[in-house]
Amino acid sequence: MLLTLVAFVVALGLLIAVHEYGHYRVAVACGVKVLRFSVGFGKPLFTWRPKGSPTEFVLGAFPLGGYVRMLDEREAPVPAEERHLAFNTQPLRARAAIVAAGPIANLLLAVLLYSIVNWNGVEEPKAVLASPVAGSVAQAAGLRGGELVQRAALGSDELEPVRSFEDLRWLLTRGALEGESVRLDVQPQSGAHRELVLDMSKIDSREADAQLFRKIGILGPWTRPVLGEVVAKGAAERAGLQQGDVVLKIGSTEVVDGQQLRELIRQSMRGTEPLSQPWLINRAGSSLTLDVLPDAQPELGATVGRIGAYVGAPPEFVTVEYGVLEGFWTGVVKTWDVSLLTLKMMGRMVIGEASLKNLSGPLTIADYAGRSASLGLTQYLVFLALISVSLGVLNLLPLPVLDGGHLMYYLWEGVTGKQVSDAWLERLQRGGVAVLLLMMSIALFNDITRLFG
């Protein structure tokens, strides 16, 4: 709990500070007087004014936002001698640059974070595929398990090298959410290279939930069908199974990898009742047959089998590391891809092609912050990059209360030569607040349902 709280506050504080610093830095560069730079709202916990600076730096009690307050005739009277320092007196290009600088700063931070991860290197599972889920797109495409994915592409794009299973997972996510087929160049355990096509148009991807990869059929990398830690008083212990047992066969079905073993355990049901089956195992070089009766557990409206043991050995890992220029360019491309995917998903939610359940609020973000931090610095940096992209893209949406809404006003001013009238500004602001509150309410409801439902 403490780790989740600390990771969440650090994430919000950093992303908000970078966003507001973008506004602040460009405002100063454009000759605008900045009165206050605040990270957080509410009662100030800390204030600081550098010697000779007109700007007061503030840390607020509630780190759920921030602001940069500039000299502006629309908010308070401005002395005549300082009128040239006011935001509202600046040329259109300067005002637009100041407003756009916040979201751009978040996108640049994402590029930096992805680049750091690329330069530092990370251990990731090798792109060797586990057995596909029965009846899935992967099985229909001809995958059987054990194939090494060497290259892959989205749609008609050129095939690119696949460095790790995470590379493949990201491509599959894009393909499913965009409805694009994914082409794989695979090397089976025996035989020649072959190219397969996963037809993602068959997947209903309106909800990017945990079941998405089950629909695709690729749940993880290949692992040996071995048992790990056995839970006390669970089905595995009751049957006499032990850590290190290699499962060779369940009933008449030969077991080839950990993923297939997990699926066979899940499906070892007769309706809602668990089904006892003989397991052929290898224990320290000797074969042994044990009858195993899984426990029945509910899962997403169905009943599945569980044995109370970690199933599957750790996958084979590879070190994914990039040079300076390649790592930076990969960070740029990843930021661009995530931004485009975020915009497409938002667009699909607006027209009803994607579920509003995909919206996430502060509780889900906090949960993911804690989980990523528990996995190590690299995973936490990837999480920060993803949220930074989301914050940058969200703020560029043409909603009046967001930076994108102000840019929309400036576009109108640039085209017509006239500023938006005060009456229309008030109407648009009210509408924007209503839309934003609705989005926040839906996101919070999704959070509660996802975490406590």
Side-chain angles (χ1 to χ4, degrees), residues 16 22 69 77 86 100 131 145 150 156-157 161 232 266 292 328 344 348 376 385 398 421 429 446 450:
I16 291 169
R69 181 178 298 159
S131 299
Q150 297 189 323
S156 59
D157 293 349
R266 285 172 53 86
V292 180
F328 172 75
K344 288 179 180 179
R348 291 179 63 189
S421 67
Q429 287 292 107
N446 290 342
R450 193 177 293 129

Side-chain angles (χ1 to χ4, degrees), residues 286-305:
S286 301
S287 295
L288 182 66
T289 300
L290 298 171
D291 287 326
V292 180
L293 178 65
D295 294 320
Q297 289 190 4
E299 181 182 287
L300 299 174
T303 303
V304 300

Side-chain angles (χ1 to χ4, degrees), residues 59 181 223 256 431:
L59 180 64
S181 61
T223 60
V256 297

